[in-house]
């Protein structure tokens, strides 16, 4: 029988997720409180599908089929026939909680209810349902139809069958699914913190300019975008908020302390590309800069070791498996290599040595070496294989 999914919120993420579901033949209902947003979502989908036709990826008939699968509504009671509900509204715990209480009353008891939240606790959201066992996090990445990764996040209360079904649906929708514990930032938004924060730190210390750091990480590190151009692209309000939430949610752990420099950008309204000014001015006519080889290597090494240490901490806390962490970072944010594979290649002993050099220099919490790396050195272990 045909499956029905309801997507709650027709913004950036909701529209993308609806496109995926409809393309996979699901009856797709998109609900939003704002009729204009629904109209915009519909028009955008039309444009996207036309572009796919131009590229020869789909034909006119498939386009019409996808559109036929989607119903747009401002009436929440229309979501009644759903097998799955995915919420993608504004990131606000009390607004989401109220919405889940209403959804709980409308859909059947065997309908899975999921949230695409990036930073709220799945366990707290599950608590808004009478039966929290049917709740799960399904965290897509932007743009949802293009990014391969979905993080599946069981709440403390989630029934194992619900986790299995959510993972199966993710795979059926051609996504690569990873499983993560309900901890701040899940895998990707936790492990990626040092990419931004350590780069900003080097800039604050006068070690290099944003352009030099961006060039080094792209040309020597193999990253698709540098941290300064990337945060300008994401928006400093959004990126700062994620950092702040992860920091607060880990009970102000010094490893995640937000940067004063980025806070200043937000306070000034220098939000990046969308405001015309961030670390760079837009339109950005900066040419790639040449960075002295030793300096570029030092920059890349420092960012990589901090990322590896964060990935090791994620294994150590049993938030996710080694394989899932590497998959998440390569498929969710396009890192050139899995960080734990990178650690093996560098040698675990060398990773510990590099962290200890940083800690000796600063004596700050952010540079404390993951105990897992030390234990692995003692036992002669690697992340992959013996
Ligand atoms: N944008 C991203 O990169 C990204 C990535 C992953 C996850 N997320 C998460 O996805 C969710 C949505 O993010 P977005 O970027 O698509 O936001 P958005 O602002 O583009 O869209 C939110 C939509 O929700 C609607 N809305 C607000 N309150 C509502 C309510 N009570 N009932 C129904 N609709 C309501 C708004 O009208 C709007 O259309 C957030 O939880 C966010 O954390 C965002």
């Amino acid at each position: 029988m045909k499956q029905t999914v309801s997507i709650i919120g027709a913004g950036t993420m909701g529209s993308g997720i609806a496109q995926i579901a409809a393309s996979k033949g699901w009856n797709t209902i998109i609900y939003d409180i704002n009729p204009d947003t629904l109209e915009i979502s519909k028009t955008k989908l039309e444009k996207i599908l036309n572009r796919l036709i131009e590229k020869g990826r789909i034909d006119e008939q498939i386009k019409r089929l996808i559109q036929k699968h989607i119903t747009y509504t401002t009436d929440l009671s229309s979501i009644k026939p759903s097998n799955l509900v995915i919420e993608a509204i504004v990131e606000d715990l009390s607004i989401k909680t109220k919405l889940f209480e209403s959804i709980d009353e409308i859909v059947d008891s065997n309908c899975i209810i999921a949230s695409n939240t990036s930073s709220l606790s799945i366990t707290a959201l599950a608590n808004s349902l009478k039966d929290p066992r049917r709740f799960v996090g399904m965290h897509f990445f932007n743009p949802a139809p293009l990014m391969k990764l979905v993080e599946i996040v069981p709440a403390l209360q989630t029934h194992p069958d619900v986790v299995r079904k959510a993972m199966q649906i993710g795979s059926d929708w051609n996504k690569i699914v990873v499983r993560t514990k309900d901890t701040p930032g899940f895998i990707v938004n936790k492990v990626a913190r040092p990419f931004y924060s350590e780069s900003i730190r080097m800039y604050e210390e006068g070690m290099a300019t944003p352009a030099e750091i961006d060039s080094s990480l792209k040309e020597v590190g193999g990253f698709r975008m540098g941290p300064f151009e990337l945060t300008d692209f994401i928006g400093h309000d959004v990126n700062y908020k994620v950092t702040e939430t992860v920091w607060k949610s880990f009970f102000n752990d010094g490893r995640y302390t937000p940067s004063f420099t980025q806070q200043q950008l937000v306070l000034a309204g220098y939000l990046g590309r969308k405001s015309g000014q961030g670390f760079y001015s837009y339109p950005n006519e900066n040419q790639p800069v040449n960075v002295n080889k030793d300096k570029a290597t030092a920059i890349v090494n420092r960012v990589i070791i901090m990322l590896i240490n964060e990935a090791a901490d994620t294994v150590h806390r049993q938030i996710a498996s080694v394989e899932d962490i590497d998959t998440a970072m390569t498929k969710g944010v396009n890192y050139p290599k899995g960080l734990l594979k990178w650690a093996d290649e560098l040698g675990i002993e060398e990773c510990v040595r590099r962290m200890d050099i940083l800690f000796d220099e600063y004596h700050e919490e952010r540079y404390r070496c993951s105990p897992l790396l030390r234990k692995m050195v003692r036992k002669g272990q690697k992340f992959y294989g013996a």
Side-chain angles (χ1 to χ4, degrees):
M1 210 182 68
K2 224 182 183 98
Q3 304 261 59
T4 297
V5 60
S6 289
I7 312 293
I8 314 295
T12 311
M13 294 307 291
S15 300
I17 299 167
Q19 183 191 331
I20 301 167
S23 306
K24 290 288 159 194
W26 282 53
N27 282 327
T28 306
I29 300 164
I30 311 187
Y31 162 82
D32 201 290
I33 36 168
N34 184 348
D36 295 343
T37 314
L38 288 171
E39 208 42 58
I40 293 168
S41 173
K42 201 175 185 174
T43 314
K44 272 197 182 150
L45 178 65
E46 166 100 31
K47 275 193 195 146
I48 291 170
L49 296 177
N50 285 343
R51 227 177 302 141
L52 290 177
I53 293 177
E54 279 164 28
K55 288 185 183 165
R57 303 257 184 85
I58 59 171
D59 58 25
E60 198 55 54
Q61 196 187 351
I62 292 183
K63 173 188 158 187
R64 276 198 300 275
L65 208 59
I66 294 171
Q67 288 173 316
K68 216 179 94 194
H69 284 143
I70 306 184
T71 315
Y72 297 84
T73 182
T74 51
D75 173 11
L76 191 60
S77 67
S78 318
I79 71 169
K80 181 147 183 45
S82 309
N83 305 97
L84 169 68
V85 170
I86 303 178
E87 168 277 318
I89 67 161
V90 57
E91 190 76 334
D92 181 303
L93 181 66
S94 68
I95 299 178
K96 286 195 200 264
T97 301
K98 249 190 236 141
L99 174 78
F100 286 127
E101 285 166 2
S102 308
I103 293 172
D104 205 14
E105 296 296 325
I106 297 169
V107 294
D108 285 353
S109 59
N110 55 3
C111 168
I112 294 176
I113 302 180
S115 174
N116 183 49
T117 180
S118 295
S119 63
L120 299 174
S121 158
I122 299 297
T123 299
L125 291 173
N127 210 19
S128 56
L129 301 184
K130 285 194 198 115
D131 179 7
R133 291 175 305 171
R134 61 155 142 175
F135 196 85
V136 69
M138 288 183 84
H139 187 224
F140 291 78
F141 290 77
N142 187 18
L146 296 183
M147 299 302 287
K148 283 304 247 176
L149 189 72
V150 180
E151 292 178 324
I152 301 292
V153 195
L156 198 60
Q157 310 93 318
T158 310
H159 193 283
D161 287 346
V162 171
V163 182
R164 268 193 293 275
K165 279 185 194 158
M167 296 194 76
Q168 188 57 52
I169 292 166
S171 307
D172 291 347
W173 289 358
N174 253 348
K175 295 293 174 189
I176 295 170
V177 289
V178 292
R179 184 184 168 138
T180 166
K181 273 193 190 159
D182 178 25
T183 43
F186 311 135
I187 302 174
V188 170
N189 282 333
K190 172 183 186 288
V191 175
R193 288 341 306 146
F195 186 66
Y196 315 108
S197 62
E198 204 52 28
S199 302
I200 297 175
R201 186 67 181 260
M202 288 186 284
Y203 160 62
E204 283 172 343
E205 291 177 358
M207 183 174 164
T209 63
E212 287 174 327
I213 297 172
D214 278 352
S215 288
S216 305
L217 281 160
K218 283 191 290 186
E219 275 145 46
V220 180
F223 290 86
R224 284 207 193 154
M225 282 177 93
F228 296 92
E229 55 185 356
L230 184 54
T231 47
D232 268 7
F233 179 75
I234 295 169
H236 290 286
D237 48 345
V238 175
N239 189 262
Y240 181 80
K241 182 86 185 155
V242 176
T243 308
E244 194 184 34
T245 305
V246 170
W247 172 59
K248 283 188 183 159
S249 311
F250 274 117
F251 310 108
N252 296 7
D253 186 332
R255 276 234 305 277
Y256 308 107
T257 309
S259 108
F260 184 63
T261 300
Q262 195 177 30
Q263 186 195 46
Q264 289 281 85
L265 290 178
V266 177
L267 293 175
Y270 294 170
L271 304 182
R273 250 171 213 281
K274 62 185 169 190
S275 74
Q277 177 69 50
F279 283 112
Y280 301 102
S281 299
Y282 294 89
N284 181 7
E285 275 138 26
N286 287 345
Q287 299 299 318
V289 291
N290 281 327
V291 191
N292 161 297
K293 193 164 170 275
D294 290 345
K295 187 168 171 176
T297 306
I299 290 167
V300 172
N301 285 352
R302 186 154 150 185
V303 170
I304 299 295
I305 194 58
M306 290 295 282
L307 286 169
I308 286 175
N309 196 47
E310 196 55 49
D313 175 79
T314 309
V315 180
H316 189 221
R317 292 177 194 240
Q318 302 195 10
I319 292 171
S321 69
V322 168
E323 291 78 8
D324 277 0
I325 293 168
D326 276 357
T327 302
M329 302 314 288
T330 49
K331 304 296 176 193
V333 271
N334 294 323
Y335 280 14
K337 200 186 292 183
L339 292 166
L340 299 167
K341 183 164 182 273
W342 221 326
D344 277 355
E345 285 175 14
L346 262 176
I348 307 299
E349 204 164 350
E350 176 62 13
C351 294
V352 170
R353 193 185 72 82
R354 291 187 189 184
M355 284 309 299
D356 284 349
I357 290 172
L358 282 168
F359 188 80
D360 283 348
E361 189 155 330
Y362 290 92
H363 283 269
E364 278 179 45
E365 272 298 287
R366 73 194 262 119
Y367 298 112
R368 71 174 189 260
C369 178
S370 166
L372 176 65
L373 293 173
R374 288 194 200 286
K375 188 168 132 199
M376 290 172 73
V377 171
R378 279 198 308 274
K379 297 195 163 184
Q381 290 169 331
K382 293 168 86 173
F383 284 105
Y384 293 91

